[in-house]
Amino acid sequence: AKASHRLTLLYFANEVCQRCKKSKPEYLAAFMDVLPNAFAELFSTQPEFKEKMVRIIQVWRDRSIFSASELDNLQQALT
């Protein structure tokens, strides 16, 4: 997929995760199974998107969408 499409999919995942926080927590677990690899792959192919990915992680941290350790793992994928 084109890099811009991958970023759009990440934004879509962000929207779904935020909406599922209360009603469908099992979806969050399913997303967390794939998010670390998705973040790492997008960062490795499009490092210019790092700021946008860091922002998504910060929003999830601020809104307690995922646990701190899960978010720390995502953050590590961007190094």
Side-chain angles (χ1 to χ4, degrees):
K2 288 185 179 177
S4 62
H5 292 146
R6 288 181 179 162
L7 185 60
T8 300
L9 288 173
L10 188 57
Y11 285 143
F12 180 67
N14 171 45
E15 183 71 21
V16 171
C17 289
Q18 289 191 53
R19 290 179 184 261
C20 291
K21 172 70 174 148
K22 292 181 181 172
S23 61
K24 297 285 185 185
E26 65 273 16
Y27 288 8
L28 295 178
F31 268 100
M32 193 45 72
D33 286 345
V34 298
L35 283 172
N37 287 337
F39 269 70
E41 183 177 329
L42 184 57
F43 177 66
S44 71
T45 59
Q46 303 299 136
E48 66 271 19
F49 292 157
K50 181 177 183 177
E51 232 177 82
K52 296 173 190 298
M53 292 185 282
V54 167
R55 175 70 183 126
I56 290 171
I57 293 169
Q58 189 58 51
V59 167
W60 288 344
R61 195 176 301 278
D62 292 346
R63 297 180 183 176
S64 301
I65 304 297
F66 295 104
S67 73
S69 63
E70 289 171 323
L71 294 170
D72 290 345
N73 286 342
L74 287 181
Q75 191 80 44
Q76 294 234 340
L78 305 181
T79 58

